[in-house]
Amino acid sequence: MSNPSITTRPAAECRYDAVALGEVMLRLDPGDRRVRTTRSFDVWEGGGEYNVARGLRRAFGLRGAIVTALADNEVGRLVEDFMLTGGLDTSWVQWREFDGIGRSVRNGLNFTERGFGVRGAVGVSDRGHTAISQMQPEDVDWDALFGAGVRWLHTGGIFAALSESAADVAEAAMSAARRHGTVVSYDLNYRPSLWKDIGGVDRAREVNRRLAQHVDVMIGNEEDFTASLGFEVEGVDENLTDLDTGAFRAMIKTAAEAYPNFQVIATTLRGVKSASVNDWGAIAWSRAEGFVEATHRSDLEIFDRVGGGDSFASGLAYGLMELGSLQEAVEYGAAHGALAMTTPGDTTTATLAEVAKLAGGGSARVQR
């Protein structure tokens, strides 16, 4: 089935449906406790770009691969074991020799509290001098990767913020992908902590505006588009409790005019009432179909919000590759994001059947 909003290479001609480029870290989760007082952690993998390809593999059954770099030690091999469980091809992982203590190269850690009620989620990353932050554009044979056939490349603003060279790596990958007819999606994913010491918002805009010229499908939330590209969303209050879709439509229209290469623009709408209750929705636009909105879910109960936006991105990408309209794609994205936030961890545990049911208006009645 072809989608009028985007044209992808035929699956039969491609080795992969989706490839992600980005850092994969160990997430250490204290559960219902605090990082500062816990005595144990649940551990799994996560990464803003990786989560999208993993979701496309595990929830939607598509073929995927991850391009990343890891220090070759026990922690790196644990991350690899998680990625293999996630079903992605790890043959493009760049392994770096470990010096014994992590002075020159190491693997990233992410300590994340889910939050509850009035206590918001908290993330503390430990990712300085990681293997992927030192990656160079020539480290991967991009033409070999995309020449073998890839329908979709996903990367984003988290990876681009890791170092000076990371943005160059992203640009090399995105340029090669487009040369070979691969759709490029990019999640702006603005993280103030990553940009703080390397130029802040001004540097984030400089880098993301450069990379945006290579993007077909641009994804982000209200803060992402403002901080990373400089497009203001008028009328949205500081606490994001009143999300006016009209304001987002105006912002998207401005972005589409500024970047004629954007074929699809999508943004999640999250109104944070508490860490445990959010309003959740999404809006998308394409040059072929105009504006569409996903079902708005007021008072959505949240178990773990981390990864909800990544699961939206994977559901949207699946819809654009496999379904017949932008409306279906944004509904699948919003439904997948909602389901992902009902379970712990960055990555999805949803099935295609569950996403399709919720996207079609299904309820949470018990299944027997």
Side-chain angles (χ1 to χ4, degrees), residues 23-351:
E23 183 163 51
V24 187
M25 298 190 293
L26 277 187
R27 174 177 171 180
L28 292 95
D29 184 344
D32 56 4
R33 299 170 299 276
R34 305 295 304 271
V35 168
R36 66 177 67 179
T37 57
T38 190
R39 296 299 180 267
S40 63
F41 293 93
D42 288 325
V43 182
W44 39 69
E45 89 286 24
E49 298 82 16
Y50 163 83
N51 295 342
V52 177
R54 188 191 190 282
L56 285 165
R57 173 64 188 91
R58 290 305 302 264
F60 299 104
L62 301 186
R63 303 159 298 166
I66 175 68
V67 180
T68 192
L70 293 166
D72 193 356
N73 59 19
E74 295 304 299
V75 176
R77 293 298 172 177
L78 175 57
V79 174
E80 179 192 35
D81 196 59
F82 277 120
M83 293 191 297
L84 290 170
T85 301
L88 297 184
D89 184 349
T90 59
S91 62
W92 297 92
V93 174
Q94 309 292 301
W95 290 99
R96 301 293 183 245
E97 184 177 355
F98 184 57
D99 61 14
I101 61 173
R103 181 182 290 112
S104 61
V105 64
R106 54 194 296 271
N107 298 304
L109 306 176
N110 185 26
F111 298 82
T112 304
E113 297 177 11
R114 303 171 198 162
F116 183 83
V118 296
R119 177 172 59 85
V122 176
V124 181
S125 61
D126 180 14
R127 65 200 311 176
H129 306 293
T130 56
I132 194 167
S133 71
Q134 301 176 51
M135 195 171 174
Q136 300 297 320
E138 63 272 14
D139 288 346
V140 175
D141 187 340
W142 301 110
D143 285 316
L145 172 58
F146 294 108
V150 179
R151 298 171 73 195
W152 198 283
L153 168 68
H154 182 75
T155 190
I158 293 177
F159 172 64
L162 295 181
S163 65
E164 289 287 340
S165 64
D168 295 335
V169 173
E171 188 166 34
M174 297 159 81
S175 298
R178 298 192 83 192
R179 284 198 303 273
H180 290 277
T182 298
V183 170
V184 175
S185 66
Y186 189 92
D187 193 330
L188 290 164
N189 259 336
Y190 177 70
R191 297 291 185 270
S193 60
L194 292 178
W195 295 100
K196 181 174 63 175
D197 290 336
I198 58 171
V201 170
D202 290 341
R203 179 59 176 162
R205 289 179 180 174
E206 177 187 345
V207 170
N208 283 291
R209 285 169 173 168
R210 170 162 63 99
L211 296 179
Q213 300 174 54
H214 305 283
V215 173
D216 301 298
V217 179
M218 181 61 83
I219 302 167
N221 62 25
E222 66 292 321
E223 182 184 22
D224 296 332
F225 278 94
T226 299
S228 297
L229 292 179
F231 296 117
E232 297 295 333
V233 184
E234 300 292 338
V236 175
D237 74 332
E238 182 180 358
N239 296 315
L240 306 179
T241 56
D242 182 19
L243 299 180
D244 174 15
T245 59
F248 284 89
R249 287 172 182 253
M251 181 275 293
I252 288 172
K253 183 177 179 181
T254 301
E257 291 172 352
Y259 293 94
N261 50 291
F262 291 175
Q263 299 304 306
V264 176
I265 303 173
T267 182
T268 53
L269 306 174
R270 185 195 293 271
V272 180
K273 295 182 175 179
S274 75
S276 311
V277 177
N278 292 182
D279 292 338
W280 173 254
I283 185 171
W285 167 93
S286 74
R287 296 190 185 278
E289 298 181 79
F291 284 97
V292 298
E293 289 186 35
T295 300
H296 187 73
R297 294 178 171 87
S298 299
D299 298 325
L300 181 70
E301 293 176 292
I302 305 294
F303 186 81
D304 183 352
R305 65 168 284 169
V306 179
D310 302 332
S311 291
F312 167 77
S314 59
L316 178 78
Y318 173 80
L320 290 171
M321 281 189 274
E322 300 295 329
L323 303 179
S325 69
L326 183 62
Q327 181 68 58
E328 291 174 282
V330 76
E331 290 285 9
Y332 269 58
H336 191 217
L339 287 168
M341 291 186 289
T342 67
T343 55
D346 292 32
T347 57
T348 181
T349 62
T351 66

